[in-house]
Amino acid sequence: MILVTGATGNIGSALLRELHLAGAAPVRGLTRDVRRASFPEGIAVVEGDLAQADSLKAALEGARSLFLLSGFGAEAEVLAAARRTGVEHVVLVSSITVQTHPHLPAARENQAVEKSVKDSGMAWTILRPTQFASNTLWWAQSIRDQGVVRAPYADIGLPAIHPADIAAVARVALTEPGHGGRTYALTGPERVTVRQQVAAIAAASGREVACVEIGREEAHRQMASFLGEETADAVLDLMGGDLNDELLTVHDTVLRVTGTAARSFQQWASDHGAVFR
Ligand SMILES: NC(=O)c1ccc[n+]([C@@H]2O[C@H](COP(=O)([O-])OP(=O)(O)OC[C@H]3O[C@@H](n4cnc5c(N)ncnc54)[C@H](OP(=O)(O)O)[C@@H]3O)[C@@H](O)[C@H]2O)c1
């Protein structure tokens, strides 16, 4: 049994499809609310909260592999519970910031979770994705309502990754031998700027979308209102305020692990054009 956490999210939903198509071992998807979740036929759905390890008893029962998102604060307890119930291999979603911006608070948290996984006594594979193409969903309302994206650093290109490619790597790591003890930096196939992303979304959704570059201060004001000051600063650094070679590097890991080239941002936009209409 493979337990997939974040099963309703960007990576998890794609991973359920991948595992279903591959006819892999029985799969169970975790959500905090089974009433809102709809999974492919044959995939069991189970309720649980990653912030409360006690709530995962039913989810972990019989699981031998675990696909684990991080960032919920109880990872050490979740890993201990997984080990006790017989999980043998954990595939963890960490972040590329562990190697690009290790000083940022979220990167330090991911470092700690990576250490917990390595010390857990279970086999492990760590995925370190860069920023997701799906982060552009933040623009959906502004595009639908006003046909505009207001964003900072509009001409800085970063190798955003299609979450389905993270799922494809996770599927291979969960179902094929040879991926234990590996840490994979994951990016898209090329660098893409905000302006190019907006153009791709406009083409895919069939509507005109203007890209208006704003300054860091204005962006910070907007983001801090829902992310808080510190996280807003960190996100802005990662969007272009504090670049380094490692953040700009395109890795070919998706191709090496799955045998298929990583999907472009255009592909992501064409998969999700309807959301922006
Ligand atoms: N976005 C990025 O650029 C980026 C970059 C590097 C790493 N990451 C990491 O990638 C992961 C996915 O990020 P995302 O932005 O794409 O999010 P997402 O997958 O769209 O949504 C979050 C998922 O996590 C589940 N979830 C949220 N709180 C939970 C909790 N307390 N217990 C159990 N499940 C919970 C949600 O499920 P339910 O609502 O159904 O419970 C949902 O399926 C995160 O761990 C993030 O730290 C993201």
Side-chain angles (χ1 to χ4, degrees):
M1 171 71 72
I2 300 171
L3 175 63
V4 173
T5 70
T8 59
N10 292 310
I11 313 171
S13 57
L15 178 57
L16 291 187
R17 282 194 298 278
E18 283 260 345
L19 290 167
H20 183 63
L21 287 175
V27 179
R28 192 183 279 156
L30 183 85
T31 173
R32 286 165 299 170
D33 185 354
V34 290
R35 288 163 306 176
R36 284 191 300 116
S38 98
F39 295 161
E41 203 179 318
I43 300 211
V45 54
V46 64
E47 212 163 73
D49 188 333
L50 286 168
Q52 295 169 26
D54 295 354
S55 72
L56 300 175
K57 266 203 182 89
L60 286 167
E61 184 69 43
R64 291 293 166 266
S65 302
L66 171 63
F67 172 77
L68 183 63
L69 297 189
S70 70
F72 305 105
E75 286 80 8
E77 292 82 358
V78 171
L79 288 164
R83 166 94 167 141
R84 276 198 307 277
T85 51
V87 171
E88 292 159 2
H89 183 200
V90 181
V91 175
L92 173 76
V93 178
S94 174
S95 165
I96 200 132
T97 56
V98 169
Q99 61 201 61
T100 64
H101 293 71
H103 57 284
L104 292 179
R108 287 205 302 268
E109 281 165 26
N110 270 309
Q111 265 165 16
V113 177
E114 288 190 5
K115 184 168 183 320
S116 296
V117 168
K118 289 176 180 174
D119 293 345
S120 70
M122 298 176 281
W124 52 267
T125 308
I126 292 171
L127 311 183
R128 289 182 178 167
T130 193
Q131 61 168 243
F132 298 180
S134 48
N135 293 350
T136 58
L137 289 168
W138 292 339
W139 302 334
Q141 190 165 355
S142 167
I143 290 178
R144 285 195 303 264
D145 295 352
Q146 301 163 43
V148 68
V149 171
R150 289 189 183 79
Y153 309 117
D155 294 305
I156 286 176
L158 295 169
I161 186 164
H162 194 314
D165 282 327
I166 307 170
V169 171
R171 197 263 303 156
V172 172
L174 286 162
T175 59
E176 296 178 15
H179 300 281
R182 300 288 180 92
T183 298
Y184 292 131
L186 301 176
T187 70
E190 65 203 347
R191 291 198 286 270
V192 55
T193 67
V194 165
R195 219 176 281 287
Q196 289 166 331
Q197 288 178 321
V198 172
I201 288 170
S205 62
R207 56 173 302 164
E208 277 188 29
V209 186
C211 178
V212 176
E213 181 161 15
I214 59 174
R216 180 173 177 126
E217 272 183 26
E218 185 179 344
H220 187 269
R221 250 195 323 277
Q222 289 172 8
M223 287 179 169
S225 64
F226 56 95
L227 291 177
E229 302 270 331
E230 191 179 52
T231 304
D233 261 323
V235 170
L236 285 163
D237 282 354
L238 296 170
M239 288 171 76
D242 182 20
L243 294 179
N244 58 44
D245 288 349
E246 187 58 31
L247 189 67
L248 293 165
T249 299
V250 172
H251 293 274
D252 66 354
T253 327
V254 172
L255 175 61
R256 281 192 291 109
V257 173
T258 68
T260 303
R263 283 159 256 220
S264 63
F265 184 83
Q266 281 80 0
Q267 180 66 56
W268 184 87
S270 113
D271 293 345
H272 296 85
V275 181
F276 299 93
R277 255 172 232 135

